[in-house]
Amino acid sequence: MAALRIDAKNLHYTPLNQQIRKAVCDGVKEIVIDNVLGQRFIADGLRGDDVTITVNGVPGGDLAMFMSGPTVIVHGNADHAPGNTMNQGKVIIFGSTGDATAHSMRGGRVYVRDSIGYRGGIHMKQYKEKRPILVVGGSARAFLGEYMAGGLLIVLGLNGQVPVAERGVGSGIHGGEIYVRGEVEAKYLGVGSKQLPATAEQMEMIRPIIEDFAKSFGLDPAPLLKEKYSRIAAASARPFANKYTPE
């Protein structure tokens, strides 16, 4: 079946998403949306591992929320919370994103070529084989990985950027792990988080993910893999146990 092309200029998000959903239900595997300007909820709840949606423009909030399988490629920036509670699939963004990127994500991958706003990866979680992954090429703002309960978050600091230079990194983290190229200044670590140099085994674990990220954006992964990384995780197995017992 031929690819479907939709012109989203001056189109409200409701009829736009109705067109997308109907096309996927009719068996369309490739959808290209032009002139996107702030339309929300694109690809939300869609299923289908073999569906690819290309967004030319700037999608609004909650891109790919609850999505389970498709690949979404954005040629532009994206508003807040792309990958919100995403279950499976991949979101590749050739630009930057707003706050709460990958909010509560529970599976699949979100790759952001440039930078993300505040509270990236907040409350990501995982269960058995479901392990969400967020990779950021540039930098992240404050409270990265806040309340993380699972998943994997990597910030590369490309183009000379400091991966994270604001407070609250891993604040309230009780599962999952954050890797940054270089290290985060101790004053920026959040309550309950702990930073250590990444081990050789941990570097081998994130190697294929960094290679896949680089491939997605036409980058050479070799310089990235030569660098030192730090791992930020929960400071203990139950860092907040005393918060749930009588004092």
Side-chain angles (χ1 to χ4, degrees):
M1 184 173 289
L4 173 67
R5 197 151 202 136
I6 301 173
D7 185 356
K9 186 175 182 179
N10 298 325
L11 190 61
H12 189 270
Y13 69 82
T14 299
L16 172 60
N17 288 313
Q18 287 172 338
Q19 286 187 51
I20 296 169
R21 185 169 297 279
K22 182 178 185 306
V24 173
C25 289
D26 289 343
V28 175
K29 302 300 182 186
E30 183 176 356
I31 300 171
V32 180
I33 313 170
D34 297 317
N35 300 311
V36 174
L37 186 60
Q39 285 94 340
R40 296 179 285 172
F41 312 134
I42 292 175
D44 285 12
L46 285 184
R47 296 176 179 271
D49 295 342
D50 52 356
V51 173
T52 299
I53 299 173
T54 300
V55 176
N56 294 319
V58 180
D62 294 315
L63 173 77
M65 180 169 64
F66 302 124
M67 189 178 77
S68 189
T71 295
V72 177
I73 303 169
V74 178
H75 294 286
N77 297 324
D79 202 344
H80 66 276
N84 181 357
T85 324
M86 196 170 100
N87 189 52
Q88 188 176 327
K90 183 182 280 189
V91 177
I92 303 171
I93 297 172
F94 286 74
S96 294
T97 62
D99 298 341
T101 297
H103 167 39
S104 299
M105 193 177 162
R106 57 195 183 193
R109 298 187 180 197
V110 173
Y111 292 165
V112 180
R113 186 192 63 184
D114 299 333
S115 297
I116 64 173
Y118 296 90
R119 293 188 158 86
I122 181 173
H123 205 230
M124 287 171 68
K125 61 202 74 173
Q126 68 183 67
Y127 180 69
K128 294 185 177 180
E129 78 280 4
K130 292 288 187 183
R131 190 186 195 208
I133 297 173
L134 168 64
V135 185
V136 179
S139 61
R141 303 299 301 266
F143 295 100
L144 175 72
E146 187 180 29
Y147 306 133
M148 272 184 75
L152 175 62
L153 210 164
I154 303 173
V155 186
L156 299 172
L158 295 172
N159 302 316
Q161 297 183 71
V162 177
V164 196
E166 293 184 39
R167 66 193 177 108
V169 179
S171 183
I173 186 172
H174 51 285
E177 47 193 347
I178 303 168
Y179 290 85
V180 297
R181 191 156 66 110
E183 61 181 6
V184 174
E185 288 189 52
K187 64 182 180 182
Y188 296 136
L189 293 176
V191 175
S193 67
K194 181 180 181 180
Q195 176 177 235
L196 290 172
T199 66
E201 291 77 15
Q202 290 163 346
M203 287 303 302
E204 281 304 304
M205 184 272 294
I206 65 172
R207 169 186 289 275
I209 299 166
I210 292 175
E211 289 175 339
D212 189 48
F213 175 90
K215 182 180 178 182
S216 298
F217 297 110
L219 303 173
D220 180 5
L224 295 171
L225 295 170
K226 290 180 181 176
E227 299 279 354
K228 300 289 187 183
Y229 285 73
S230 299
R231 178 180 182 269
I232 299 164
S236 68
R238 297 187 67 199
F240 305 102
N242 63 348
K243 300 295 183 186
Y244 303 98
T245 55
E247 296 183 355

